[in-house]
Amino acid sequence: MRLITFLQHNKRLLFRATLFTLLIAFIILSCIVFFLPLEYLDIHISEEIQEKQGPYLTTIMIWLSWFGRTSVSVVMVVITSLIFLISRLKKEAVLMVSTLLSGILGLGLKILINRPRPSKDLVFLLEETKYQSFPSGHVLFYTVFFGALILIILHLKKIKYKVKLFLIIICLSMIFLGAVSRVYLGAHWFTDVLGGFILGVFCVLIIGYFYVKNDKNIPKA
């Protein structure tokens, strides 16, 4: 009993420490992009990624970014939620619907921080963009949406281990490749993508906490 209590207490501390670390990291990164001029790191990473441009790769990157468009992302969330609802997984359906809140959060932060998008004198612009640059809304949504799917995949006991592994690899690949596509297309800087990812992980942990909170088989965080 003492061992279980000790482990549960440490999990709570680890969970809170992780949330705090992510929050501080995002705040620091936000201050950097708000107060400091464009850094060499951003320009260098954009140059490194964009020098590999080719017609086929560009098509793939455009396709990967397509899923992050507002209208497409809403449809993805609705369809996924309906699938879970039809499968009598109401908690999972609610979890997926909650991922839409990341769009509101991202837009609010974009307006607040007001960082300009990459310009054509610094990068190759392969996609027309609107709104401000930091954090990347695409990466924020990808991290929250596919991160939530990973939580559900890990949680559902009916899914076989090999299937779980395959689905998780796909979800992680979408998060990573979606982030790369934003820099490749000239839509974002590396720090925009990093900010979207950090904030996305923070959101996944929050919604994940409420997702498993009432599950008797999983220790509360």
Side-chain angles (χ1 to χ4, degrees):
M1 181 64 70
R2 289 183 178 180
L3 178 60
I4 295 175
T5 303
F6 175 76
L7 291 174
Q8 289 179 343
H9 179 66
N10 279 327
K11 283 188 176 183
R12 286 195 293 268
L13 289 177
L14 180 61
F15 177 78
R16 292 168 183 169
T18 303
L19 283 180
F20 180 76
T21 301
L22 289 170
L23 182 60
I24 294 300
F26 182 78
I27 292 174
I28 292 174
L29 186 60
S30 300
C31 291
I32 290 174
V33 302
F34 184 81
F35 291 108
L36 298 180
L38 188 64
E39 293 294 323
Y40 168 77
L41 178 65
D42 274 328
I43 299 175
H44 177 69
I45 292 178
S46 291
E47 289 175 347
E48 287 294 319
I49 292 177
Q50 290 197 320
E51 72 178 8
K52 299 173 177 62
Q53 287 178 353
Y56 296 108
L57 186 56
T58 298
T59 300
I60 293 173
M61 291 298 174
I62 291 174
W63 179 79
L64 284 168
S65 278
W66 180 76
F67 290 99
R69 293 183 179 181
T70 302
S71 57
V72 179
S73 61
V74 171
V75 171
M76 285 173 58
V77 170
V78 170
I79 292 176
T80 308
S81 300
L82 286 175
I83 291 173
F84 284 127
L85 198 59
I86 293 172
S87 303
R88 297 182 179 180
L89 297 170
K90 295 181 180 179
K91 189 167 65 170
E92 285 71 18
V94 172
L95 177 67
M96 295 313 301
V97 171
S98 70
T99 62
L100 289 175
L101 296 175
S102 65
I104 300 174
L105 176 62
L107 182 58
L109 289 170
K110 282 177 181 287
I111 295 173
L112 179 64
I113 298 171
N114 196 31
R115 187 189 200 186
R117 292 273 184 169
S119 56
K120 61 182 180 181
D121 60 318
L122 295 173
V123 300
F124 293 105
L125 298 181
L126 300 178
E127 178 184 299
E128 292 184 8
T129 54
K130 58 181 180 178
Y131 303 119
Q132 292 77 2
S133 189
F134 183 91
S136 169
H138 275 68
V139 177
L140 173 57
F141 171 73
Y142 278 38
T143 305
V144 175
F145 178 81
F146 290 106
L149 282 179
I150 290 173
L151 286 176
I152 293 172
I153 292 167
L154 290 172
H155 183 69
L156 295 179
K157 298 179 180 179
K158 295 181 179 179
I159 304 177
K160 295 181 179 179
Y161 173 77
K162 290 184 178 179
V163 177
K164 281 187 176 185
L165 184 61
F166 174 73
L167 293 175
I168 289 172
I169 290 174
I170 291 178
C171 289
L172 290 175
S173 298
M174 287 299 297
I175 295 172
F176 174 75
L177 293 175
V180 173
S181 73
R182 302 312 291 157
V183 179
Y184 179 95
L185 297 173
H188 284 288
W189 298 112
F190 167 74
T191 44
D192 299 334
V193 167
L194 181 61
F197 176 73
I198 292 173
L199 186 61
V201 174
F202 180 86
C203 293
V204 169
L205 289 177
I206 294 295
I207 63 177
Y209 168 77
F210 289 103
Y211 175 58
V212 303
K213 183 178 179 181
N214 298 318
D215 194 321
K216 296 180 180 179
N217 296 319
I218 299 178
K220 295 181 180 180

